[in-house]
Amino acid sequence: MKQRIYWIDVVKFVAVVFVILAHVVWVTEQSNHDGCGLPANLMTINRIIASLGVPLFMMVSGTLLMKKGFETKADIMAFYRHGLFPLVVTAEIWIVVYCLIALQPFTFRELILNMVLVHKPEVHLWYVRVIVIYYLLIPFLNRLRINGKWLFVVLLALVATFTFAYNAWLIYDGNLCPTTPNRSYFCYLIYMATGFVLARQKLSLKRLCAAVILLLFGGAVLFLTLSRTDYFLWYDNPLLAVMAISLFYIIRFVSSCKMEKCVVSEVSKMSYGIYLSHFLLIYVVGMIVKACSLNGISFYLALLAVLMFDFILIWGVKKYAPKVCKVVFRY
C-alpha cells in the first residue's frame, strides 16, 4: 500500500469541498435567479472560493506526477496502464450514467461522442479531458524538464503569457468572457509545475506570511473586479492563480501541525469518485431549489449535505462491494 502524504490529503480534501461548492453555486444560479436568498456580494465570494478547487487538484497532480523519471518506454507504458487507464475506465462509467440521465433525446451516436470525449453529458466532465491530456503528456513534459530545463522554462513562460497574461488584458479591455476552453487547457501546466516546485520548497514562516498576504490581496482585487464587472471567472484568471498557489502553500504549512487525520485522508482517497459522482446529488439540490424558497443557510446546508451523502454512499459501497467501489469510485 502506498504511504499517504497527509498535507496532500488535506489539499485534496479542501479541493473537493470547493468543487462541490462550485456546483452548488452553479445549480443555485441555474434554478433560482435570486441567488438562493444570498446577497450578490456573498455569491461573488462563493464563486471565487469555489473556483480554487480545480487549481488545487492540478497542483497536487503536478506534485505527484512531475517527480517521476519515465526513463524508459516501459516506464511510460506502465504509467499509462496503471495510472491513466483505471481513471479512464471509472470516468467512462460515469459518462454513461450521466448520458442515460441527462441526454434528451438519448441516442447511441451521442453516447459514443461523449465516451470519446468529443462532447460531455454534464458540465463538470470537461475535467476528464484535462486528466487524459495531461496524463498522456506528462512523461514527455518530465523528460523535457529533466533534459532541457531552460526549454521547459521557456515553455512555461509562453503558456503563462498565452493564458494568464492574455486573460488579464482581456479583462482590462472590458471583455465579459476573457477565456476559451481551448486556450484555458494550457494553464493547467502552470498549476502542475507550480505544485511540483512548491512541494519541494522548505517550509518557512516568511513564505507563509507572503502566501497569506498574496491570498488576501488576490482575493480582494478579484472581488473588486468582479463586483465592478460581472465577467466570466475561469481558471486562467491570474488573480485566481495567485490565490490558489498561495492557498496550496498555506495548506501544506498548516498541515504539518498535528491534527485528526482519518476523515481528511478518507475523503482525499475518495476525491476522484466524489468529483465524478456528486453531480447526481446536485440534481436533487436543483430540484429542491426550484420547488422551495430557500435562504442563505440552506445554501450552505446543501453544500454539506452533498459532501456528507456522497461520502456515505462511497463508504457504503466500499464496505459491501469493495471491488465495485474500486472500479466505480477509484476508492
Side-chain angles (χ1 to χ4, degrees), residues 158-225:
L158 290 173
V159 170
T161 302
F162 181 60
T163 56
F164 296 111
Y166 188 50
N167 183 286
W169 165 252
L170 291 176
I171 293 171
Y172 177 78
D173 199 41
N175 194 314
L176 296 181
C177 188
T179 187
T180 64
N182 292 337
R183 190 171 72 246
S184 68
Y185 279 4
F186 289 91
C187 77
Y188 306 112
L189 176 60
I190 304 298
Y191 287 119
M192 292 180 70
T194 304
F196 172 73
V197 171
L198 289 182
R200 295 160 62 90
Q201 298 295 312
K202 291 183 178 180
L203 297 174
S204 75
L205 192 57
K206 288 183 179 179
R207 288 174 178 159
L208 175 66
C209 293
V212 171
I213 291 171
L214 287 172
L215 176 66
L216 295 175
F217 174 79
V221 176
L222 184 55
F223 175 78
L224 290 174
T225 60

Side-chain angles (χ1 to χ4, degrees), residues 73-247:
K73 183 178 179 180
D75 292 336
I76 296 174
M77 297 310 297
F79 171 70
Y80 288 159
R81 185 168 58 253
H82 300 297
L84 175 60
F85 181 71
L87 297 180
V88 172
V89 170
T90 297
E92 291 293 347
I93 291 171
W94 284 101
I95 287 171
V96 172
V97 170
Y98 286 115
C99 282
L100 293 174
I101 295 172
L103 286 186
Q104 298 294 336
F106 176 88
T107 65
F108 283 102
R109 179 179 182 276
E110 191 63 25
L111 174 64
I112 297 301
L113 288 174
N114 280 275
M115 293 185 70
V116 298
L117 307 181
V118 175
H119 295 169
K120 58 183 186 295
E122 269 303 350
V123 293
H124 70 307
L125 293 175
W126 64 271
Y127 186 69
V128 176
R129 295 178 187 167
V130 173
I131 290 295
V132 171
I133 290 170
Y134 279 98
Y135 268 64
L136 288 173
L137 291 178
I138 198 66
F140 308 101
L141 292 171
N142 270 11
R143 297 311 303 162
L144 178 62
R145 178 184 62 80
I146 294 169
N147 298 326
K149 179 179 178 181
W150 289 109
L151 284 176
F152 187 69
V153 171
V154 170
L155 174 63
L156 293 179
L158 290 173
V159 170
T161 302
F162 181 60
T163 56
F164 296 111
Y166 188 50
N167 183 286
W169 165 252
L170 291 176
I171 293 171
Y172 177 78
D173 199 41
N175 194 314
L176 296 181
C177 188
T179 187
T180 64
N182 292 337
R183 190 171 72 246
S184 68
Y185 279 4
F186 289 91
C187 77
Y188 306 112
L189 176 60
I190 304 298
Y191 287 119
M192 292 180 70
T194 304
F196 172 73
V197 171
L198 289 182
R200 295 160 62 90
Q201 298 295 312
K202 291 183 178 180
L203 297 174
S204 75
L205 192 57
K206 288 183 179 179
R207 288 174 178 159
L208 175 66
C209 293
V212 171
I213 291 171
L214 287 172
L215 176 66
L216 295 175
F217 174 79
V221 176
L222 184 55
F223 175 78
L224 290 174
T225 60
L226 285 169
S227 299
R228 185 182 64 183
T229 305
D230 189 22
Y231 60 83
F232 182 66
L233 177 63
W234 199 243
Y235 306 115
D236 53 353
N237 183 290
L239 293 170
L240 188 71
V242 168
M243 293 181 66
I245 291 167
S246 301
L247 182 60

